[in-house]
């Protein structure tokens, strides 16, 4: 069985791959090409025009004045730069990334291929990993005995900068839905060092200030290694420890004669089929039939590592959990049905696809999609569960998983435990994305085109995800002790009923 703590250990490798693809924000000026004012102005015009035309969530959490003020910050930075040697690519990218994160849309991603190339090809990897719980950072693993680092040592500073100061520097560049912060903290959980390199300092050596088991403060200077060398060290470490890399997107187990635990790590039907050789809908049907046959009266659903997937798969799950007809999505809409920036995109068929969205009579200037299952009234499934339900959540519970939590909350169907859900309660911007590559800087960004509105109404959660009834986060101490404090809390709650 893959435990939740074990899943966190394994997830860091996938996490880095996703980070390298989507969240490349560099503060490094050295060795970077300069962009002239003219080049930046050309790129900025495309950046602004594409977002104003197509991003359906641009004004979800900000008014026109605030958005224009953030655009002005970029144009002023360009104007104040040198005419010939304006800004480095990394500096320009940071201005754009800060704006994009300020839209407060967790599906709005950006990448700097130039930085990624330098990062991948240089000696900028380190033979250790850090676990960060939002307040405290510890050495998660050390892959090289020469470094003399030990699991559990607390990291107080990196290159003389306190951990909380590093977090403060990084936060403005991390996208999340609304005003949520748990999503940002979860990105840093296994990515603090990586984000430090992207935002603060990229160097071939690093100095750590540590607190050891005897509470003594020590310093260690670590030399960087290549990506290939790190991969070899990690593999050797796993082989020595006998770590099982098997990963199951979905898993069900009976805890006791009354209680079942269903772990759902994704709503990607493709990923479930690929990893477990079973269709998502069949797995759900078989699992809930088993729950009914075993007469289980209590169910825990663990979605702490569920970053989303197919929206219809999420709606299907709720039909096994809500015992009367209910609504799921209120509407799906585009901000435009004509995309004028396709010359900078690989998404050439958007104008054809957008014709399937019909002009809204109630909200001029938007275009609605009406032919989708989750927009219809939902009916309970044959093996719908009628007993006590608890859902475990975290800042990584995002997109479709966040929608599921919102619908369950709106229908008073579950008790929640863990961290605030990382995705927005009222919906998100996702589904189809339009990629844009700026011609001069080569910076890439993705515009999520469809705004989903959930059938919910709870103003206290505006700009947030579902806030659990029992708020508890996994700490660095929990991680070291291999204790799943959130699951333990859920089981104690059931026992107290």
């Amino acid at each position: 069985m893959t435990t939740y703590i074990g899943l966190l250990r394994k997830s860091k490798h996938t996490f880095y791959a996703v980070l390298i693809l989507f969240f490349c924000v560099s503060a490094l000026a050295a060795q970077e090409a300069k962009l002239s004012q003219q080049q930046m102005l050309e790129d900025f015009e495309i950046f602004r025009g594409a977002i104003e035309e197509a991003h359906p969530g641009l004004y979800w959490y900000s008014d026109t004045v605030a958005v224009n003020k953030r655009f002005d910050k970029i144009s002023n930075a360009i104007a104040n730069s040198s005419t010939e040697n304006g800004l480095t690519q990394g500096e320009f990218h940071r201005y754009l990334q800060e704006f994009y994160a300020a839209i407060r849309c967790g599906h709005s991603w950006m990448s700097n291929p130039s930085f990624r190339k330098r990062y991948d090809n240089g000696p900028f990897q380190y033979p250790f990993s850090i676990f960060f719980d939002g307040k405290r950072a510890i050495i998660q693993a050390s892959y090289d005995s020469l470094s003399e680092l030990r699991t559990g040592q607390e990291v107080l500073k990196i290159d003389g900068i306190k951990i909380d100061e590093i977090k403060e520097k990084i936060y403005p560049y991390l996208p999340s839905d609304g005003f949520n912060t748990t999503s940002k903290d979860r990105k840093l959980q296994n990515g603090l060092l990586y984000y430090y390199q992207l935002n603060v300092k990229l160097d071939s050596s690093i100095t750590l200030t540590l607190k050891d088991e005897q509470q003594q403060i020590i310093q260690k200077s670590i030399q960087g290694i290549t990506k290939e060398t790190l991969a070899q060290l990690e593999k050797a470490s796993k082989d020595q420890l006998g770590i099982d890399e098997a990963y199951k997107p979905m898993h069900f187990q009976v805890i006791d004669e009354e209680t079942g635990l269903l772990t759902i790590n994704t709503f990607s039907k493709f990923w479930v089929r690929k990893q477990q050789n079973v269709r998502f809908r069949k797995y759900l049907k078989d699992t809930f039939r088993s729950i009914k046959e075993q007469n289980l009266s209590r169910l825990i659903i663990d979605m702490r590592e569920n970053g989303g997937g197919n929206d219809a798969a999420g709606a299907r799950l709720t039909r096994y959990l809500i015992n009367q007809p209910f609504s799921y999505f209120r509407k799906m809409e585009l901000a435009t049905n004509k995309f004028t920036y396709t010359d900078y995109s690989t998404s050439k068929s958007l104008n054809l696809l957008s014709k399937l969205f019909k002009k809204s009579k109630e909200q001029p200037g938007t275009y609605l999609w009406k032919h989708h299952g989750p927009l219809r009234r939902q009916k309970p499934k044959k093996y719908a569960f009628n007993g006590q339900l608890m859902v475990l959540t975290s800042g990584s519970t995002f997109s479709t998983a966040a929608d599921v939590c919102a619908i369950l909350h709106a229908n008073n169907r579950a008790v929640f435990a863990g961290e605030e859900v990382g995705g927005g309660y009222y919906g998100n911007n996702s589904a189809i994305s339009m990629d844009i590559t700026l011609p001069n800087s080569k910076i890439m960004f993705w515009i999520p085109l469809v705004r989903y509105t959930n059938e919910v109404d709870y103003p206290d959660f505006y700009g947030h995800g579902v806030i659990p009834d029992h708020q508890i986060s996994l700490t660095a101490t929990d991680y070291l002790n291999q204790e799943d404090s959130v699951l333990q809390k859920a089981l104690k709650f059931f026992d107290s009923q």
Side-chain angles (χ1 to χ4, degrees), residues 241-382:
L241 295 173
I243 294 177
D244 178 15
E245 286 292 339
Y247 165 76
K248 287 187 176 182
M250 302 178 73
H251 178 76
F252 177 72
Q253 67 180 110
V254 176
I255 301 294
D256 56 40
E257 61 184 11
E258 294 181 280
T259 312
L261 171 63
L262 175 58
T263 300
I264 305 178
N265 292 317
T266 183
F267 284 109
S268 168
K269 293 185 284 188
F270 167 81
W271 196 243
V272 171
R273 187 81 176 258
K274 179 179 175 62
Q275 292 295 110
Q276 294 183 236
N277 194 32
V278 64
R279 295 176 67 189
F280 183 89
R281 64 168 61 195
K282 184 179 188 309
Y283 191 93
L284 281 187
K285 182 177 181 180
D286 291 347
T287 298
F288 281 94
R289 178 167 51 198
S290 175
I291 290 171
K292 186 173 285 288
E293 289 172 349
Q294 296 181 70
N295 199 30
L296 300 179
S297 60
R298 310 188 304 193
L299 178 63
I300 299 171
I301 296 183
D302 188 348
M303 292 198 293
R304 287 175 289 174
E305 290 301 305
N306 193 321
N310 301 94
D311 55 9
R316 180 171 292 273
L317 173 64
T318 59
R319 294 173 64 190
Y320 282 100
L321 301 172
I322 300 174
N323 298 295
Q324 66 277 335
F326 64 98
S327 296
Y328 195 82
F329 289 142
R330 184 175 302 165
K331 59 182 177 178
M332 297 167 59
E333 59 189 303
L334 294 178
T336 181
N337 71 339
K338 186 176 181 180
F339 300 93
T340 59
Y341 291 87
T342 53
D343 286 347
Y344 307 99
S345 175
T346 62
S347 307
K348 302 298 185 183
S349 61
L350 287 176
N351 282 314
L352 179 62
L353 182 65
S354 67
K355 301 305 179 185
L356 299 174
F357 286 72
K358 302 303 180 183
K359 191 172 184 179
S360 172
K361 296 179 180 179
E362 297 79 16
Q363 191 174 351
T366 62
Y367 300 83
L368 301 177
W369 175 255
K370 296 187 176 181
H371 309 289
H372 191 45
L375 288 167
R376 297 192 289 268
R377 191 76 169 160
Q378 305 296 300
K379 297 179 180 180
K381 285 291 192 177
K382 177 180 178 180

Side-chain angles (χ1 to χ4, degrees), residues 73-276:
K73 181 178 179 179
I74 302 174
S75 59
N76 290 337
I78 295 173
N80 293 332
S81 65
S82 168
T83 304
E84 295 300 324
N85 297 306
L87 298 172
T88 67
Q89 187 182 51
E91 290 168 339
F92 183 55
H93 183 249
R94 281 178 44 175
Y95 279 109
L96 300 187
Q97 178 65 75
E98 184 179 27
F99 175 93
Y100 216 35
I103 293 177
R104 302 186 183 278
C105 167
H107 287 87
S108 295
W109 301 317
M110 183 175 287
S111 171
N112 185 344
S114 175
F115 180 87
R116 186 173 71 244
K117 182 177 180 180
R118 289 185 291 118
Y119 177 81
D120 284 347
N121 295 330
F124 302 127
Q125 316 290 325
Y126 290 96
F128 64 90
S129 59
I130 292 176
F131 180 92
F132 180 58
D133 66 10
K135 297 179 180 178
R136 184 167 168 252
I138 60 170
I139 298 297
Q140 181 182 43
S142 177
Y143 308 112
D144 182 7
S145 60
L146 296 178
S147 69
E148 297 182 345
L149 296 176
R150 295 186 301 278
T151 298
Q153 289 177 311
E154 184 173 359
V155 182
L156 303 177
K157 299 178 183 179
I158 299 177
D159 292 328
I161 306 175
K162 294 179 180 179
I163 294 299
D164 59 346
E165 293 176 7
I166 292 174
K167 175 180 173 179
E168 186 176 344
K169 290 175 182 289
I170 293 171
Y171 247 47
Y173 303 103
L174 301 179
S176 66
D177 282 357
F179 310 104
N180 173 276
T181 60
T182 58
S183 173
K184 296 187 179 190
D185 284 342
R186 289 303 294 254
K187 289 181 175 72
L188 296 180
Q189 188 174 73
N190 287 311
L192 179 69
L193 178 59
Y194 182 82
Y195 275 115
Y196 170 79
Q197 292 174 287
L198 294 178
N199 292 283
V200 183
K201 182 180 179 184
L202 180 68
D203 205 342
S204 58
S205 65
I206 196 169
T207 299
L208 302 179
T209 302
L210 304 157
K211 182 190 292 185
D212 65 15
E213 295 85 345
Q214 288 74 41
Q215 304 300 303
Q216 293 184 334
I217 308 300
I218 57 176
Q219 282 193 343
K220 294 286 183 182
S221 293
I222 314 294
Q223 292 299 311
I225 57 178
T226 64
K227 185 170 66 172
E228 292 74 20
T229 301
L230 177 61
Q232 293 171 3
L233 290 173
E234 287 181 328
K235 184 179 185 304
S237 176
K238 291 175 200 168
D239 291 344
Q240 183 178 359
L241 295 173
I243 294 177
D244 178 15
E245 286 292 339
Y247 165 76
K248 287 187 176 182
M250 302 178 73
H251 178 76
F252 177 72
Q253 67 180 110
V254 176
I255 301 294
D256 56 40
E257 61 184 11
E258 294 181 280
T259 312
L261 171 63
L262 175 58
T263 300
I264 305 178
N265 292 317
T266 183
F267 284 109
S268 168
K269 293 185 284 188
F270 167 81
W271 196 243
V272 171
R273 187 81 176 258
K274 179 179 175 62
Q275 292 295 110
Q276 294 183 236

Side-chain angles (χ1 to χ4, degrees), residues 63-78:
D63 59 22
T64 305
V65 173
V67 170
N68 287 340
K69 185 177 180 180
R70 291 197 289 267
F71 274 131
D72 289 344
K73 181 178 179 179
I74 302 174
S75 59
N76 290 337
I78 295 173

